[in-house]
């Protein structure tokens, strides 16, 4: 069965990764966790270097093939998802800077 836990979210909504680990430690033996809602929390890393490493790793993960299988990666049919689209300002994997508003742009 899935573990059931409620995380205590501070009034300001900021929940550090260290607090999440501490609150979930009582359920670490559970084989499955079901997360039903994270909208109330702004989860952040307590360590800035870990946050940077996480962001850099995640930037390159999302992508895939849509509808066709072109012979060359990156040609029509391949997409990359900008996982940090809602974090402004930010720079995407192609070095494009978004200051005020993110917009979908084709190609690198």
């Amino acid at each position: 069965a899935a573990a059931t836990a409620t995380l205590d979210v501070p009034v300001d909504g900021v929940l550090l990764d260290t607090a999440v680990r501490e609150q979930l430690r009582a359920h670490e033996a559970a084989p499955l966790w079901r997360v039903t809602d994270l909208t109330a929390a702004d989860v952040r890393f307590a360590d800035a270097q870990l946050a940077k490493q996480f962001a850099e790793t995640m930037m390159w993960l999302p992508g895939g093939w849509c509808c066709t299988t072109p012979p060359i990666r990156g040609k029509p049919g391949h997409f990359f998802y900008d996982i940090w689209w809602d974090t402004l300002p930010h720079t995407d994997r192609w070095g494009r800077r978004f200051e005020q508003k993110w917009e979908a742009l084709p190609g690198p």
Side-chain angles (χ1 to χ4, degrees), residues 50-97:
L50 283 177
K52 182 179 178 187
Q53 289 173 346
F54 177 77
E56 289 172 353
T57 298
M58 292 303 296
M59 182 186 313
W60 292 96
L61 294 180
W65 296 101
C66 175
C67 312
T68 62
T69 307
I72 301 172
R73 182 180 175 94
K75 296 300 179 190
H78 191 260
F79 69 89
F80 291 103
Y81 177 75
D82 186 358
I83 195 163
W84 304 118
W85 71 271
D86 61 344
T87 304
L88 295 173
H90 86 277
T91 303
D92 72 6
R93 68 176 73 204
W94 310 117
R96 298 177 295 198
R97 185 84 176 149

Side-chain angles (χ1 to χ4, degrees), residues 4 6 9 14-16 20 29 32 37 40-41 43-44 51-52 64 67 75 86 89 93-94 98 101-102 107-108:
T4 301
T6 301
V9 178
V14 176
L15 192 59
L16 295 178
V20 172
L32 175 68
D37 185 16
V43 180
R44 300 179 188 180
K52 182 179 178 187
C67 312
K75 296 300 179 190
D86 61 344
R93 68 176 73 204
W94 310 117
F98 297 90
K101 177 185 172 198
W102 180 87

Side-chain angles (χ1 to χ4, degrees), residues 11-48:
V11 176
D12 65 1
V14 176
L15 192 59
L16 295 178
D17 65 312
T18 51
V20 172
R21 281 194 208 100
E22 184 62 34
Q23 291 184 45
L24 293 177
R25 187 163 285 125
H27 305 283
E28 65 187 349
L32 175 68
W33 290 355
R34 180 179 19 198
V35 178
T36 58
D37 185 16
L38 286 176
T39 58
D42 178 5
V43 180
R44 300 179 188 180
F45 284 90
D47 181 322

